[in-house]
């Protein structure tokens, strides 16, 4: 087992030794790199408290993690190899221990967020179809449910490929097979010849998880080649812990790439998306012209702060697998409690039992309370059909109690 809980002291020692292995702008001769430590007028560089703050210390040392280190290992930029090795460990840990890949089967990097990770997937598959099948952009289509994140529209727009959104059932939030068939037929008429499929390892609005097994026969029937990406930006650090039989992880040979977001459920700072893909795919995103970068660049973003990878590594290592599972379980228990209360109050809702999102049908909880407690609606133009609650560590207990009390008082009137 790679993933182990470590003490604060052990974590500190590991991060500081990685920083020692990095070259330092203030102690090494570094002449040609367009980077430096953070501005010294603004940022404390030698403050005493940094000795006990491994993340801040890494942030201030400002290591650049440009490129994809699982791929280039020791051929990449060598100035920051210490923290880059921590990023490799992190990618291995998440793909093998959380997404159940075999050892060293996966490449990946810490992206600015789920948006980039999703677009990175589209970019790789688009280039694959272009290179291997001589496809034209107009012949490539991306299948995703209408509950999917808007980054799929954004990615299609940027890459000049075609979004093919598919309707979901209003009650179950599952992809509607009839609509999928119709969408595929229409796509074929429009000369789409190659498919990318997104399946959600939890949607943002409903916590629904797409049933790949249910839609695959329909996709196969179309006869078009396809590649499958799983968007776990919301659920990637939840669902694998609540459903050990996760059908969308790397045990499933149909899944080629996965997105996760540590800045959602894992409570990491922003800038901690994760992109994971099976070996032998990353090269479709190589920018050959990036020759001044040792090991080339394979990412959309280019330069990025190595402290973000370190922060995810630190959080996972602080909790360990048991600790994280326990955290998630306590959110599930709280979500269960909320569901029981809604049931008793006659408020209809959607809930995936493996997720911490409860989405209530509009028209039951008084709307001013939805606003007061910052529930999120599917539509703010006055046509809301749903209002959702995400059970998070900061909402447990008191906040939910107060909300429920107010709802109960109002519904009695
Ligand atoms: C949040 C989210 C994204 C986008 O992630 P950012 O980190 O905001 O770029 C993509 N997909 C899903 C399902 C999400 O919840």
């Amino acid at each position: 087992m790679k993933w182990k809980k470590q003490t604060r002291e052990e974590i500190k020692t590991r991060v500081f030794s990685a920083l020692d292995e990095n070259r330092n702008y203030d102690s090494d001769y570094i002449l040609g790199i367009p980077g430096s430590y953070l501005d010294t007028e603004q940022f404390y560089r030698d403050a005493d408290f940094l000795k006990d703050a491994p993340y801040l210390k890494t942030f201030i040392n400002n290591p650049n993690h440009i490129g994809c280190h699982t791929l280039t290992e020791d051929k990449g930029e060598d100035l920051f190899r210490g923290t880059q090795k921590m990023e490799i460990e992190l990618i291995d840990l998440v793909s093998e221990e959380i997404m159940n890949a075999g050892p060293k089967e996966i490449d990946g990097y810490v992206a600015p967020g789920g948006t980039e990770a999703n677009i990175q997937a589209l970019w790789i598959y688009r280039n694959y179809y272009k290179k291997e099948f001589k496809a034209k952009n107009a012949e490539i289509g991306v299948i995703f449910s209408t509950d999917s994140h808007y980054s799929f529209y954004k990615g299609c727009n940027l890459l000049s490929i075609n979004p093919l959104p598919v309707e979901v059932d209003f009650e179950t939030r599952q992809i509607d097979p009839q609509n999928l068939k119709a969408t595929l037929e229409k796509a074929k008429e429009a000369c789409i010849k190659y498919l990318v499929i997104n399946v959600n390892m939890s949607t943002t609005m409903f916590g629904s998880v797409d049933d790949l097994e249910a839609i695959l026969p329909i996709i196969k029937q179309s006869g078009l080649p396809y590649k499958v990406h799983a968007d776990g930006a919301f659920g990637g650090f939840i669902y694998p812990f609540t459903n050990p039989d996760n059908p969308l992880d790397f045990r499933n040979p149909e899944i080629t790439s996965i997105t996760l977001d540590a800045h959602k459920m894992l409570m990491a700072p922003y800038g901690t998306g994760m992109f994971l893909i099976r070996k032998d795919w990353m090269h479709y995103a190589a920018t050959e012209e990036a020759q001044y970068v040792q090991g080339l660049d394979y990412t959309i973003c280019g330069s990025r702060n190595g402290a973000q990878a370190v922060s995810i590594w630190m959080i996972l290592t602080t909790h360990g697998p048991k600790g994280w599972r326990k955290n998630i379980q306590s959110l599930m228990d709280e979500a269960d409690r909320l569901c029981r209360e809604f049931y008793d109050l006659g408020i209809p809702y959607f809930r995936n039992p493996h997720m911490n999102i409860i989405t209530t049908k509009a028209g039951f909880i008084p709307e001013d309370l939805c606003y007061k407690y910052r529930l999120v609606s599917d539509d703010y133009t006055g046509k809301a059909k749903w209002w959702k609650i995400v059970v998070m560590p900061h909402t447990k207990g008191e906040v939910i109690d107060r909300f429920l009390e107010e709802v109960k008082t109002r519904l009695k009137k």
Side-chain angles (χ1 to χ4, degrees), residues 113-116 118 149 151 200 202-204 231 233-234 261 263-264:
T115 296
E116 168 160 325
N118 285 342
H149 189 261
S151 48
N200 293 297
S202 169
T203 57
T204 325
D231 182 3
F234 187 84
D261 246 349
H263 60 222
K264 294 230 173 103

Side-chain angles (χ1 to χ4, degrees), residues 106-107 124-125 226-230 249-250 252-258 275-279 281:
I106 302 297
D107 281 320
I124 287 176
Y125 300 135
Y226 63 89
K227 296 306 301 176
V228 186
H229 172 75
D249 69 23
F250 286 120
N252 184 346
E254 296 282 356
I255 301 288
T256 302
S257 55
I258 300 178
F275 177 69
L276 306 176
I277 191 162
R278 292 185 191 276
K279 288 275 179 202
W281 281 93

Side-chain angles (χ1 to χ4, degrees), residues 33 41 68 81 98 119 137 155 181 193 212 221 223 255 271 273 275-276 287 399 407:
I33 298 288
E41 303 258 317
C68 174
R81 190 140 298 150
I98 300 178
I119 298 174
N137 288 346
K181 270 185 208 153
K193 297 199 178 88
L212 179 58
Q221 235 168 33
I255 301 288
F275 177 69
L276 306 176
T287 300
V399 183
V407 173

